[in-house]
Amino acid sequence: MVRWRSGTVQAVRRSWHGAVELDVSTGDGPVRALAYPELVGTPQPGDRVLLNVGALVMGLGTGGYALVVALPDRLPADPAEDGTTRDGGHLVKARYTPLQAILLGADEEASPHRAVLESADSIDGMPVVTADLHSALPAILAGIHDSRPDARVAYLMTDGGALPAWFSRTLDALRGHLAGTVTTGQAFGGDLEASTVHTGLLAARHVLGADVTIVAQGPGNLGTGTPWGFSGVALGEAVNAVAVLGGRPVGSLRISDADGRDRHRGLSHHSLTAYGKVALVPADLPVPDGLDPALAAAVDAALAPLGGRHRIVRVPSTGLDQALRDSPVRLSTMGRGLDEDHGYFLAAAAAGRHAVTLLS
């Protein structure tokens, strides 16, 4: 469960939108910690902090921080809204945990967007690219903007990984390149808050005015090494939601010849589960040309059983490598960069390129 520590802030290392990285001294020695000022206030050197160090002790990769739970001697002021009413919102996320946040949902009564979302039941054929890893987000965006630099692209962040959108440095760097972020389910911290993927898609279309939306979990996915025990499998449910709302689902396939795990080489078994078993409606599954021949053959063989339900689309990859290299954020997946896992990022960019062709 929770491993608690008390410590003292020694230095502020760096900050980005919604998060502050700290050096903290504890009885066990120095640790690197992360604080979300919207939840706990803004730590300063000398502040005493209460920490959750479980992920750090276990050596987890993405989540390997001590997390600041409270500044017990300098609590932040109450929010400006009257806490006895729903005028500031009543959408509770991270529900019934000690740090549950009460937010204004895009479609609730006090929202300025209530009227448009209350009557909305379609996303009007909007292409929606689904991916099982957060690392695909900038690559998909690169593929979209390489073909349509003026396309308005929204990001819908599901709650399979990090709950605070603030955790993502990638998302911070993409803020000027996205129409906005919608956080759904238990996730929070986006430009808009939504309770479900369905309302999130409607908000992306009708509030943010997105031409294309990218759906993926936040960083730090959960997996057990089994076909069903992976949080990204939920992207199959997102495909269903897109179709129900009259959108065009496009699957960003997880392709790799660099992953050391057999289950992820070629076409990842997670893509096969999500699109082959969870998604109940057709999606476009783009495959880029230009893959290494052995990788391309492995992907084609793995995709063959999915061809009866989905549309396998061949996408020209000319120019996509340069678009990926021009990304405003460094591309990385499981510690591998663009050159180490080129097929993975190329497939994501191809999904973005194909999505643009579906725009009317």
Side-chain angles (χ1 to χ4, degrees):
M1 296 296 286
V2 177
R3 294 180 183 272
W4 290 89
R5 297 292 186 273
S6 179
T8 302
V9 177
Q10 297 300 309
V12 175
R13 294 172 59 95
R14 57 180 171 171
S15 62
W16 56 92
H17 179 73
V20 180
E21 188 180 78
L22 311 165
D23 286 327
V24 177
S25 62
T26 73
D28 295 333
V31 300
R32 185 177 58 158
L34 195 70
Y36 301 117
E38 288 290 324
L39 296 182
V40 301
T42 303
Q44 301 293 336
D47 280 342
R48 184 167 69 96
V49 290
L50 300 181
L51 304 172
N52 179 336
V53 299
L56 183 65
V57 169
M58 289 189 69
L60 298 181
T62 304
Y65 281 106
L67 295 172
V68 176
V69 181
L71 280 64
D73 303 323
R74 193 166 60 83
L75 297 176
D78 286 346
E81 298 85 3
D82 181 356
T84 64
T85 73
R86 297 186 175 191
D87 291 344
H90 74 288
L91 211 64
V92 182
K93 297 198 175 185
R95 290 185 285 277
Y96 303 105
T97 66
L99 290 179
Q100 66 180 14
I102 302 177
L103 305 152
L104 178 63
D107 60 338
E108 65 174 302
E109 292 88 342
S111 169
H113 313 300
R114 167 72 172 196
V116 64
L117 292 178
E118 187 175 25
S119 59
D121 62 1
S122 172
I123 56 175
D124 306 328
M126 179 177 65
V128 178
V129 185
T130 57
D132 68 358
L133 292 177
H134 188 70
S135 57
L137 170 62
I140 296 168
L141 187 64
I144 293 170
H145 280 160
D146 182 62
S147 297
R148 279 283 297 271
D150 61 339
R152 289 182 60 81
V153 183
Y155 170 48
L156 190 154
M157 184 176 128
T158 65
D159 55 12
L163 296 187
W166 310 312
F167 183 79
S168 174
R169 293 194 298 274
T170 292
L171 194 53
D172 175 58
L174 292 176
R175 285 177 61 81
H177 303 269
L178 291 167
T181 295
V182 186
T183 36
T184 69
Q186 299 281 1
F188 57 92
D191 300 292
L192 296 173
E193 303 289 348
S195 54
T196 68
V197 169
H198 298 78
T199 55
L201 288 168
L202 291 167
R205 178 63 173 174
H206 297 289
V207 177
L208 296 179
D211 301 310
V212 182
T213 293
I214 301 169
V215 177
Q217 60 184 337
N221 60 85
L222 176 65
T224 63
T226 62
W228 292 101
F230 172 56
S231 51
V233 166
L235 74 86
E237 299 288 4
V239 169
N240 298 335
V242 172
V244 164
L245 293 173
R248 295 289 302 274
V250 177
S252 177
L253 296 172
R254 185 170 169 185
I255 291 172
S256 177
D257 58 1
D259 200 301
R261 299 163 293 180
D262 287 343
R263 64 185 183 274
H264 294 308
R265 293 183 72 84
L267 180 62
S268 170
H269 72 135
H270 290 322
S271 287
L272 292 172
T273 300
Y275 296 111
K277 298 178 180 179
V278 181
L280 302 178
V281 296
D284 290 357
L285 302 181
V287 179
D289 63 20
L291 293 174
D292 176 84
L295 176 59
V299 170
D300 287 346
L303 277 176
L306 275 61
R309 177 182 304 169
H310 301 294
R311 294 174 290 273
I312 312 302
V313 183
R314 305 293 168 178
V315 177
S317 59
T318 303
L320 287 181
D321 176 76
Q322 190 59 53
L324 290 166
R325 295 186 188 281
D326 291 340
S327 171
V329 300
R330 177 179 172 272
L331 301 177
S332 178
T333 184
M334 305 295 177
R336 299 184 297 273
L338 174 59
D339 291 322
E340 290 79 21
D341 207 346
H342 195 266
Y344 170 79
F345 295 108
L346 191 65
R353 171 170 282 181
H354 175 67
V356 168
T357 69
L358 303 179
L359 294 174
S360 56

